[in-house]
PDB file of all heavy atoms in Angstrom:
ATOM      1  N   HIS D   3     -48.404  -0.756  16.068  1.00  0.00           N
ATOM      2  CA  HIS D   3     -48.298  -1.444  14.756  1.00  0.00           C
ATOM      3  C   HIS D   3     -46.902  -1.347  14.161  1.00  0.00           C
ATOM      4  O   HIS D   3     -46.493  -2.248  13.459  1.00  0.00           O
ATOM      5  CB  HIS D   3     -49.324  -0.796  13.797  1.00  0.00           C
ATOM      6  CG  HIS D   3     -50.715  -1.164  14.109  1.00  0.00           C
ATOM      7  ND1 HIS D   3     -51.603  -0.298  14.717  1.00  0.00           N
ATOM      8  CD2 HIS D   3     -51.415  -2.334  13.995  1.00  0.00           C
ATOM      9  CE1 HIS D   3     -52.754  -0.898  14.879  1.00  0.00           C
ATOM     10  NE2 HIS D   3     -52.686  -2.128  14.454  1.00  0.00           N
ATOM     11  N   ILE D   4     -46.217  -0.320  14.392  1.00  0.00           N
ATOM     12  CA  ILE D   4     -44.809  -0.266  13.942  1.00  0.00           C
ATOM     13  C   ILE D   4     -44.046  -1.422  14.551  1.00  0.00           C
ATOM     14  O   ILE D   4     -43.371  -2.192  13.878  1.00  0.00           O
ATOM     15  CB  ILE D   4     -44.143   1.062  14.330  1.00  0.00           C
ATOM     16  CG1 ILE D   4     -44.770   2.248  13.648  1.00  0.00           C
ATOM     17  CG2 ILE D   4     -42.635   1.001  13.860  1.00  0.00           C
ATOM     18  CD1 ILE D   4     -44.070   3.542  13.949  1.00  0.00           C
ATOM     19  N   LEU D   5     -44.222  -1.481  15.870  1.00  0.00           N
ATOM     20  CA  LEU D   5     -43.496  -2.537  16.570  1.00  0.00           C
ATOM     21  C   LEU D   5     -43.841  -3.899  15.977  1.00  0.00           C
ATOM     22  O   LEU D   5     -43.002  -4.695  15.726  1.00  0.00           O
ATOM     23  CB  LEU D   5     -43.803  -2.505  18.040  1.00  0.00           C
ATOM     24  CG  LEU D   5     -43.034  -1.492  18.835  1.00  0.00           C
ATOM     25  CD1 LEU D   5     -43.596  -1.467  20.276  1.00  0.00           C
ATOM     26  CD2 LEU D   5     -41.611  -1.884  18.868  1.00  0.00           C
ATOM     27  N   PHE D   6     -45.114  -4.052  15.739  1.00  0.00           N
ATOM     28  CA  PHE D   6     -45.626  -5.340  15.279  1.00  0.00           C
ATOM     29  C   PHE D   6     -44.977  -5.654  13.892  1.00  0.00           C
ATOM     30  O   PHE D   6     -44.432  -6.722  13.663  1.00  0.00           O
ATOM     31  CB  PHE D   6     -47.135  -5.271  15.184  1.00  0.00           C
ATOM     32  CG  PHE D   6     -47.746  -6.578  14.680  1.00  0.00           C
ATOM     33  CD1 PHE D   6     -47.679  -7.732  15.505  1.00  0.00           C
ATOM     34  CD2 PHE D   6     -48.332  -6.648  13.444  1.00  0.00           C
ATOM     35  CE1 PHE D   6     -48.217  -8.878  15.057  1.00  0.00           C
ATOM     36  CE2 PHE D   6     -48.895  -7.841  13.002  1.00  0.00           C
ATOM     37  CZ  PHE D   6     -48.856  -8.951  13.839  1.00  0.00           C
ATOM     38  N   LEU D   7     -45.064  -4.619  13.024  1.00  0.00           N
ATOM     39  CA  LEU D   7     -44.480  -4.817  11.702  1.00  0.00           C
ATOM     40  C   LEU D   7     -43.035  -5.239  11.793  1.00  0.00           C
ATOM     41  O   LEU D   7     -42.574  -6.237  11.218  1.00  0.00           O
ATOM     42  CB  LEU D   7     -44.585  -3.525  10.915  1.00  0.00           C
ATOM     43  CG  LEU D   7     -43.699  -3.497   9.645  1.00  0.00           C
ATOM     44  CD1 LEU D   7     -44.283  -4.399   8.573  1.00  0.00           C
ATOM     45  CD2 LEU D   7     -43.623  -2.066   9.144  1.00  0.00           C
ATOM     46  N   PHE D   8     -42.242  -4.458  12.513  1.00  0.00           N
ATOM     47  CA  PHE D   8     -40.837  -4.720  12.448  1.00  0.00           C
ATOM     48  C   PHE D   8     -40.415  -5.991  13.277  1.00  0.00           C
ATOM     49  O   PHE D   8     -39.499  -6.622  12.989  1.00  0.00           O
ATOM     50  CB  PHE D   8     -40.067  -3.523  12.890  1.00  0.00           C
ATOM     51  CG  PHE D   8     -40.048  -2.428  11.896  1.00  0.00           C
ATOM     52  CD1 PHE D   8     -40.700  -1.246  12.056  1.00  0.00           C
ATOM     53  CD2 PHE D   8     -39.400  -2.666  10.655  1.00  0.00           C
ATOM     54  CE1 PHE D   8     -40.756  -0.227  11.101  1.00  0.00           C
ATOM     55  CE2 PHE D   8     -39.394  -1.643   9.700  1.00  0.00           C
ATOM     56  CZ  PHE D   8     -40.077  -0.455   9.919  1.00  0.00           C
ATOM     57  N   SER D   9     -41.169  -6.162  14.367  1.00  0.00           N
ATOM     58  CA  SER D   9     -40.796  -7.380  15.134  1.00  0.00           C
ATOM     59  C   SER D   9     -41.059  -8.593  14.309  1.00  0.00           C
ATOM     60  O   SER D   9     -40.269  -9.538  14.361  1.00  0.00           O
ATOM     61  CB  SER D   9     -41.583  -7.417  16.456  1.00  0.00           C
ATOM     62  OG  SER D   9     -42.976  -7.510  16.218  1.00  0.00           O
ATOM     63  N   LEU D  10     -42.098  -8.559  13.500  1.00  0.00           N
ATOM     64  CA  LEU D  10     -42.325  -9.700  12.601  1.00  0.00           C
ATOM     65  C   LEU D  10     -41.114  -9.863  11.651  1.00  0.00           C
ATOM     66  O   LEU D  10     -40.568 -10.919  11.445  1.00  0.00           O
ATOM     67  CB  LEU D  10     -43.563  -9.429  11.706  1.00  0.00           C
ATOM     68  CG  LEU D  10     -44.895 -10.031  12.213  1.00  0.00           C
ATOM     69  CD1 LEU D  10     -46.001  -9.735  11.215  1.00  0.00           C
ATOM     70  CD2 LEU D  10     -44.774 -11.529  12.490  1.00  0.00           C
ATOM     71  N   LEU D  11     -40.776  -8.711  11.076  1.00  0.00           N
ATOM     72  CA  LEU D  11     -39.660  -8.709  10.150  1.00  0.00           C
ATOM     73  C   LEU D  11     -38.381  -9.228  10.842  1.00  0.00           C
ATOM     74  O   LEU D  11     -37.693 -10.098  10.314  1.00  0.00           O
ATOM     75  CB  LEU D  11     -39.403  -7.266   9.662  1.00  0.00           C
ATOM     76  CG  LEU D  11     -38.271  -7.066   8.672  1.00  0.00           C
ATOM     77  CD1 LEU D  11     -38.512  -7.834   7.431  1.00  0.00           C
ATOM     78  CD2 LEU D  11     -38.170  -5.568   8.351  1.00  0.00           C
ATOM     79  N   PHE D  12     -38.131  -8.717  12.033  1.00  0.00           N
ATOM     80  CA  PHE D  12     -36.914  -9.132  12.653  1.00  0.00           C
ATOM     81  C   PHE D  12     -36.981 -10.539  13.199  1.00  0.00           C
ATOM     82  O   PHE D  12     -36.014 -11.245  13.130  1.00  0.00           O
ATOM     83  CB  PHE D  12     -36.579  -8.120  13.802  1.00  0.00           C
ATOM     84  CG  PHE D  12     -35.929  -6.894  13.333  1.00  0.00           C
ATOM     85  CD1 PHE D  12     -36.210  -5.687  13.855  1.00  0.00           C
ATOM     86  CD2 PHE D  12     -35.009  -6.977  12.270  1.00  0.00           C
ATOM     87  CE1 PHE D  12     -35.608  -4.499  13.369  1.00  0.00           C
ATOM     88  CE2 PHE D  12     -34.351  -5.828  11.812  1.00  0.00           C
ATOM     89  CZ  PHE D  12     -34.687  -4.597  12.357  1.00  0.00           C
ATOM     90  N   SER D  13     -38.113 -10.904  13.728  1.00  0.00           N
ATOM     91  CA  SER D  13     -38.113 -12.263  14.319  1.00  0.00           C
ATOM     92  C   SER D  13     -37.881 -13.301  13.192  1.00  0.00           C
ATOM     93  O   SER D  13     -37.245 -14.274  13.443  1.00  0.00           O
ATOM     94  CB  SER D  13     -39.465 -12.514  15.022  1.00  0.00           C
ATOM     95  OG  SER D  13     -40.516 -12.490  14.117  1.00  0.00           O
ATOM     96  N   SER D  14     -38.471 -13.063  12.063  1.00  0.00           N
ATOM     97  CA  SER D  14     -38.319 -14.091  11.034  1.00  0.00           C
ATOM     98  C   SER D  14     -36.957 -14.132  10.422  1.00  0.00           C
ATOM     99  O   SER D  14     -36.453 -15.104   9.935  1.00  0.00           O
ATOM    100  CB  SER D  14     -39.356 -13.918   9.950  1.00  0.00           C
ATOM    101  OG  SER D  14     -39.105 -12.754   9.243  1.00  0.00           O
TER     102      SER D  14
END
Side-chain angles (χ1 to χ4, degrees):
Chain D
H3 288 106
I4 296 182
L5 278 174
F6 182 67
L7 164 72
F8 287 111
S9 63
L10 267 184
L11 181 60
F12 279 140
S13 65
S14 68

